[in-house]
Amino acid sequence: MTLPPRELKKMLRQEALARRDALDPRWRIEASFRFAEKASEIAPMPGTVVSGFWPMRSEVDVRPLMAALRDGGARLCLPAILDKTTIVFRELLRGAPLVDMGFGTQGPGEDAAELEPELMLVPLAAFDARGHRIGYGAGYYDRAIERLRQRGRAPNLIGIAFDCQEVPEVPNEAHDIALPEILTESGLRRFAQPL
């Protein structure tokens, strides 16, 4: 019996997250610092707006990578959850207070400037060798990227994951956005995208 795409994604997500959760916490910390060592491979021009994310659960901690990108001149922002369907990106400034965003994450408060990312570090639950991703199921990033594209923006998308989150194949759905690049502890992977 073949599972419908949504159910197959749910199963693949659970399996990939279980593998990620099983990683030794000390190893995850060291691996997160290795991501920062790869900043030069993805570093944009100074002044480029880069969205990162506050790590939740056993995710890659991208804060060292974000700090390295800031040191190279990037402007940083983090997602802010507005409601059950919408995130915006607010500027992350050194020393500015962060507020609870739910899901165990934090981000800049309402007084922070909203920015449109030109480079997005995209969290994910699972990915395949084509650059297709499985998120956490809420669709926040798919909708945010689509809104940017509707406004004529084309942010560079780089998925962030551990190697253990790779799955044989992610089922395609019409709303899914494939990633041209994914950064893991092994390095940057680039994928051919359909025209």
Side-chain angles (χ1 to χ4, degrees), residues 6-193:
R6 185 173 296 260
E7 290 302 310
L8 182 54
K9 280 185 175 181
K10 182 178 179 181
M11 184 187 76
L12 292 170
R13 177 186 300 116
Q14 290 171 341
E15 290 172 354
L17 292 178
R19 289 190 302 273
R20 190 182 76 185
D21 290 345
L23 294 171
D24 180 270
R26 289 179 303 242
W27 182 90
R28 281 198 313 262
I29 292 168
E30 289 302 318
S32 293
F33 283 111
R34 287 197 298 276
F35 278 78
E37 294 168 2
K38 300 177 189 320
S40 62
E41 294 182 47
I42 64 168
M45 298 291 294
T48 299
V49 176
V50 176
S51 69
F53 53 91
W54 194 269
M56 61 181 191
R57 299 189 297 270
S58 59
E59 276 183 332
V60 174
D61 186 346
V62 294
R63 291 175 292 184
L65 174 58
M66 290 169 54
L69 293 171
R70 180 194 319 240
D71 290 346
R75 288 179 70 189
L76 299 179
C77 58
L78 291 174
I81 299 170
L82 299 185
D83 55 43
K84 292 187 184 296
T85 63
T86 309
I87 57 173
V88 295
F89 296 90
R90 295 180 181 154
E91 188 164 21
L92 176 64
L93 298 172
R94 285 186 199 272
L98 299 176
V99 298
D100 179 24
M101 288 291 159
F103 303 105
T105 67
Q106 295 189 31
E110 293 179 6
D111 56 335
E114 282 188 24
L115 302 177
E116 292 188 335
E118 299 163 271
L119 169 62
M120 296 176 73
L121 305 179
V122 182
L124 53 92
F127 68 96
D128 67 18
R130 303 171 301 152
H132 290 248
R133 72 181 273 273
I134 298 174
Y136 293 105
Y140 285 115
Y141 273 84
D142 289 327
R143 286 188 297 275
I145 293 164
E146 184 56 32
R147 277 194 314 277
L148 287 167
R149 289 179 174 171
Q150 288 174 358
R151 291 198 293 264
R153 306 287 189 235
N156 183 21
L157 308 174
I158 301 176
I160 302 292
F162 292 116
D163 288 326
C164 70
Q165 292 172 251
E166 186 170 0
V167 298
E169 185 174 351
V170 171
N172 298 345
E173 291 187 276
H175 65 272
D176 291 336
I177 296 172
L179 301 171
E181 300 174 304
I182 294 179
L183 183 62
T184 73
E185 71 273 18
S186 296
L188 186 65
R189 301 182 192 192
R190 290 190 168 93
F191 306 99
Q193 297 299 312

